Amino acid sequence: MADIPFSKSISARLRDGVFVVVIDNPPVNALSADVRSGLMAALDHTASLDAATGIVLTGAGSTFIGGADIKEFGKPPVEPMLPDVIERIETFEKPVVAAVNGAALGGGCEVALACHGRIAGEKASFGLPEVKLGIVPGAGGTQRLPRLVGLVAAIELVGTGRPVKAAEAVTLGLADGVATAPVGAAIALVHEASGKPLRRTGMIGVPSTDPTTVSAAEAKVLARARGQSAPAEAIRLVKAAGELDLRRGLAAERATFLRLRDSSESAALRHVFFAERAAGKVEGLDKASSRRIETVAVVGTGLMGSGIAVAALTSGHSVIALEQSPEAAAGGRARIAETLDKSVRSARFTADGRAECLARLQTTAEAEELVKADLVIEAVFDDLTVKTDLFRKLDGIVRADAILATNTSYLNPDAIAAATADPSRVVGLHFFSPANVMRLVEVVDCVKTAPEVLASALAFVKRLGKLPVVCGVTEGFIGNRIFSAYRREAEFMLEDGALPQEIDAALEAYGFPMGIFAVNDMAGLEIAWARRKRQAATRDPAARYVEIADRLCEAGRLGHKIGRGWYAYPDGKRTIDPEVTAVIEAARAAKNIAPRIFTPAEIMSRLLKAMVDEGTALLTDGIAARPGDIDVVMINGYGFPAHRGGPMFAAEQNKGEPHA
Ligand code: T1G
């Protein structure tokens, strides 16, 4: 029997007496108006189709349903509304089973929840990521999920937006089974359910749970919500599912969803969603020209090198890690294995996966081995002579089509590229530490980088599961340049009257996980100190220079790891240190500065302005392509709160007047 179309993106075909309805709305089968009306039409048709015992719902391509169409947010609503489609599924007279072939997210998960059964394909995932968009589920997620998985699991999943894979979904009771061919298994389930009372999720009672366990789950999620309002609202609604009947629960959920959809938090997070997807794109760059990268060499296996090696291994690459001696190579292998172990412990990775990764790892002290590499990433000491010597040597070893990448943070990659015979194959890949965890990678398009080399680097970073942002050559690239600018501003404020703890408190109240002085302490003060000493000879003597950090370093206050920096750390706990206050007061006195009081709003306003001014300069100089790229870097590399949308977005929202 031929496919019957119900709308542009919905078609169906009768298979073994079951109507298999396929959602085909690339790229992610989002629930557009066309999908919703097509689903309604397919349901109507099946109701009167005697030949059909029931329905199997599945997605074309690699996604089941990616959720509501985020691009439709803010546009006038078009009937049928998603909650109506979902109610029709749940109350449908014949069994409807979801064959979840890929991601079932947001509204897609809500569709699956309302079905009478759910079969997960091996690549299936289920998630209610709405809080990541500053909203709550709007089509029953908060009411139906706890009916299947209980309050505690639902609070965690809805409050954090964490997706679960097929196996966990089955354990939780969210899916009925996993199958290699989910459509076939779902058809069988329709037959099994036919003629029996259907399991309508909304009619199931929420399992009763001990209130202290519920409160503990709630507290755990809220501890990580940092200034965002959606997680608390989502949890309130999940708890309401245990108290209200379905109809009233759904009404409460819908009202909250509509209110939050129009909030500034949601606008900011939607901006971040699209900015993250735009950041890795370069106008006019031919993606198809990218070279396949299978074997990655990492030179240097310190913290950064081993982190990069782990990221490459866990994304399926073969890795050759090069060190200077066989002993150092053995040490590198141990560090990489240890990092993989940590991933196993933190459940990012399975034990089988670890063994399989180590089988793809070669550690060596023989540079000639790098002839096998498609891409070489250097992560050696950040010194120009060290790096140029290395690149000169590599140039004579690696294949002519191999790409050379530098992970420098502050050096000029063009100068490193100039040491090679073919600088067009050199690109910057600036990872953030720990490289196996942090998503952000600044992909530096050097003056001579060939387009296909840039395209290959972008594809590689995406395959790592990371977030590439393209930037041009400048000292510190996008992130460290902005970080330096606002650290300078923070230090000006220290001299003018604010204290480190006041500045950090303002940043943390704004949503940063940690203020800038606490961050400096964590990172250690010595690297920036060494840079300042190097730059001392060339510094403009007329430019304002704050010496407080130098005084702290001279006094041996190098940060958290020695227990003293901008703060003291007795028992590891961040504490205000009167010695630091005395150093600051002495610095003010030496310059005859009469300290004044700063409000938290003024502190934030000055820091944001410093970020935005530097960001604007990066755009003007063509270093960053879009304001959103700067936002993505600051959010993913520097703790800028995502729910504020990034500094450039926040400034735009406040019409050029960034304000806390
Ligand atoms: N709406 C519109 N466009 C979307 C979209 C969506 N929901 N999801 C993805 N896209 C676009 C994306 O911008 C990109 O476009 C392309 O699809 C590929 O995306 C009522 C209110 C599904 C796991 O939050 O997590 O349902 O850049 O690069 O890596 O309660 O996309 O090519 O032009 O990310 O294969 C909840 C968000 C919505 C899911 C696929 N849903 N999407 O990952 O591709 S709210 C989400 C994802 C909701 C209900 C509520 C991922 C993915 P372009 P991609 P991917």
Side-chain angles (χ1 to χ4, degrees):
M1 188 183 145
D3 287 353
I4 304 176
F6 290 98
S7 70
K8 278 200 222 85
S9 41
I10 301 292
S11 65
R13 163 189 295 225
L14 205 56
R15 215 179 113 180
D16 300 337
V18 173
F19 217 39
V20 178
V21 177
V22 180
I23 302 139
D24 187 2
N25 182 27
V28 299
N29 297 336
L31 291 156
S32 61
D34 181 75
V35 170
R36 300 192 304 268
S37 64
L39 283 175
M40 275 299 209
L43 286 157
D44 288 344
H45 182 83
T46 317
S48 57
L49 187 68
D50 289 340
T53 313
I55 290 182
V56 164
L57 266 186
T58 195
S62 57
T63 312
F64 174 66
I65 300 173
D69 189 336
I70 305 172
K71 294 191 185 106
E72 276 188 5
F73 283 29
K75 294 192 184 150
V78 179
E79 301 272 331
M81 306 300 282
L82 185 58
D84 299 332
V85 178
I86 283 179
E87 188 185 350
R88 178 93 167 101
I89 292 173
E90 185 163 70
T91 55
F92 201 62
E93 43 277 46
K94 299 179 183 181
V96 183
V97 174
V100 182
N101 54 303
L105 296 176
C109 185
E110 292 172 304
V111 166
L113 287 170
C115 289
H116 308 124
R118 283 151 295 279
I119 298 293
E122 282 162 345
K123 297 242 163 80
S125 62
F126 297 79
L128 290 168
E130 283 85 346
V131 293
K132 295 183 189 167
L133 294 168
I135 51 177
V136 294
T142 64
Q143 303 305 296
R144 290 192 179 88
L145 186 66
R147 290 177 152 84
L148 290 181
V149 305
L151 286 173
V152 169
I155 284 172
E156 195 254 318
L157 297 181
V158 184
T160 63
R162 179 175 76 87
V164 297
K165 297 212 170 99
E168 188 179 354
V170 173
T171 313
L172 287 171
L174 177 45
D176 301 300
V178 188
T180 330
V183 172
I187 289 173
L189 192 57
V190 167
H191 287 304
E192 212 179 290
S194 174
K196 299 186 190 131
L198 292 174
R199 193 165 181 255
R200 302 189 200 277
T201 312
M203 301 301 113
I204 300 170
V206 175
S208 70
T209 314
D210 167 31
T212 31
T213 327
V214 171
S215 304
E218 177 174 8
K220 203 166 155 200
V221 173
L222 293 183
R224 293 175 48 201
R226 278 202 302 268
Q228 277 192 59
S229 55
E233 301 266 17
I235 293 173
R236 174 179 58 76
L237 294 162
V238 170
K239 290 199 303 190
E243 292 149 18
L244 306 178
D245 63 31
L246 181 70
R247 189 154 297 280
R248 287 199 296 154
L250 289 176
E253 179 195 76
R254 191 74 186 164
T256 310
F257 164 72
L258 292 174
R259 172 165 53 80
L260 293 188
R261 196 187 56 185
D262 298 330
S263 67
S264 56
E265 181 175 312
S266 171
L269 288 165
R270 282 200 311 271
H271 159 72
V272 176
F273 179 85
F274 289 114
E276 285 191 352
R277 278 152 185 83
K281 296 196 175 122
V282 178
E283 230 183 282
L285 189 71
D286 177 11
K287 274 205 248 166
S289 70
S290 78
R291 302 175 194 163
R292 182 102 186 121
I293 293 172
E294 286 304 335
T295 302
V296 181
V298 180
V299 184
T301 59
L303 180 65
M304 185 56 93
S306 53
I308 296 171
V310 168
L313 287 168
T314 52
S315 53
H317 298 87
S318 294
V319 172
I320 308 170
L322 178 69
E323 265 297 351
Q324 281 171 318
S325 67
E327 297 73 39
R333 190 174 189 89
R335 249 186 317 280
I336 292 167
E338 165 64 14
T339 311
L340 279 169
D341 282 342
K342 272 193 209 142
S343 298
V344 173
R345 283 199 292 275
S346 65
R348 263 196 300 276
F349 215 57
T350 64
D352 286 354
R354 173 192 185 275
E356 197 260 318
C357 279
L358 285 176
R360 275 187 277 109
L361 170 68
Q362 177 191 355
T363 40
T364 181
E366 304 295 330
E368 284 65 29
E369 292 288 308
L370 268 48
V371 70
K372 293 183 269 186
D374 304 313
L375 163 71
V376 182
I377 307 170
E378 71 72 19
V380 298
F381 187 60
D382 212 16
D383 174 274
L384 190 60
T385 315
V386 173
K387 299 213 187 219
T388 45
D389 284 353
L390 174 70
F391 267 53
R392 203 169 292 121
K393 184 172 156 196
L394 290 175
D395 207 25
I397 294 173
V398 299
R399 290 195 321 266
D401 65 338
I403 295 171
L404 296 178
T406 170
N407 177 52
T408 185
S409 310
Y410 282 104
L411 300 173
N412 183 341
D414 285 332
I416 301 172
T420 67
D422 177 12
S424 76
R425 62 150 123 183
V426 176
V427 66
L429 284 179
H430 182 221
F431 286 84
F432 287 70
S433 191
N436 55 309
V437 177
M438 297 283 284
R439 281 173 77 216
L440 179 65
V441 180
E442 286 174 319
V443 178
V444 187
D445 185 12
C446 306
V447 172
K448 299 212 166 138
T449 305
E452 69 269 21
V453 170
L454 182 64
S456 311
L458 287 170
F460 168 69
V461 172
K462 282 196 189 138
R463 188 168 155 204
L464 292 181
K466 296 195 181 292
L467 181 58
V469 178
V470 178
C471 74
V473 173
T474 182
E475 172 151 352
F477 310 124
I478 296 175
N480 278 338
R481 242 184 81 171
I482 295 190
F483 186 73
S484 299
Y486 90 91
R487 187 177 59 201
R488 192 166 54 234
E489 190 65 25
E491 294 189 2
F492 289 165
M493 283 192 278
L494 283 187
E495 254 187 8
D496 291 340
L499 286 167
Q501 58 271 24
E502 292 165 354
I503 295 175
D504 281 357
L507 283 161
E508 287 162 19
Y510 186 77
F512 279 81
M514 222 188 240
I516 189 162
F517 293 105
V519 166
N520 285 345
D521 274 356
M522 287 304 279
L525 271 53
E526 65 277 13
I527 294 178
W529 188 29
R531 269 186 65 229
R532 289 196 300 275
K533 284 195 272 196
R534 273 202 309 275
Q535 291 166 344
T538 52
R539 189 176 298 128
D540 174 5
R544 183 174 177 185
Y545 181 76
V546 179
E547 293 177 6
I548 299 168
D550 294 343
R551 296 290 94 82
L552 295 183
C553 292
E554 286 154 14
R557 307 191 66 104
L558 295 178
H560 185 265
K561 59 180 173 291
I562 62 150
R564 300 156 69 238
W566 289 101
Y567 296 92
Y569 295 88
D571 308 319
K573 204 171 154 283
R574 189 205 314 181
T575 316
I576 297 166
D577 190 337
E579 243 180 75
V580 175
T581 313
V583 169
I584 295 169
E585 282 169 354
R588 291 174 190 154
K591 289 194 185 171
N592 286 323
I593 297 172
R596 63 182 188 82
I597 289 170
F598 283 83
T599 62
E602 188 182 1
I603 290 171
M604 269 326 294
S605 173
R606 285 211 15 200
L607 293 176
L608 284 171
K609 182 168 184 320
M611 292 183 213
V612 171
D613 287 349
E614 195 68 11
T616 306
L618 287 166
L619 291 168
T620 312
D621 298 347
I623 301 296
R626 295 162 280 247
D629 291 4
I630 294 169
D631 291 334
V632 165
V633 168
M634 295 315 291
I635 289 166
N636 290 283
Y638 299 82
F640 196 102
H643 67 278
R644 305 276 189 177
M648 306 308 280
F649 180 83
E652 188 59 34
Q653 290 292 292
N654 293 301
K655 300 194 182 58
E657 277 301 312
H659 210 278

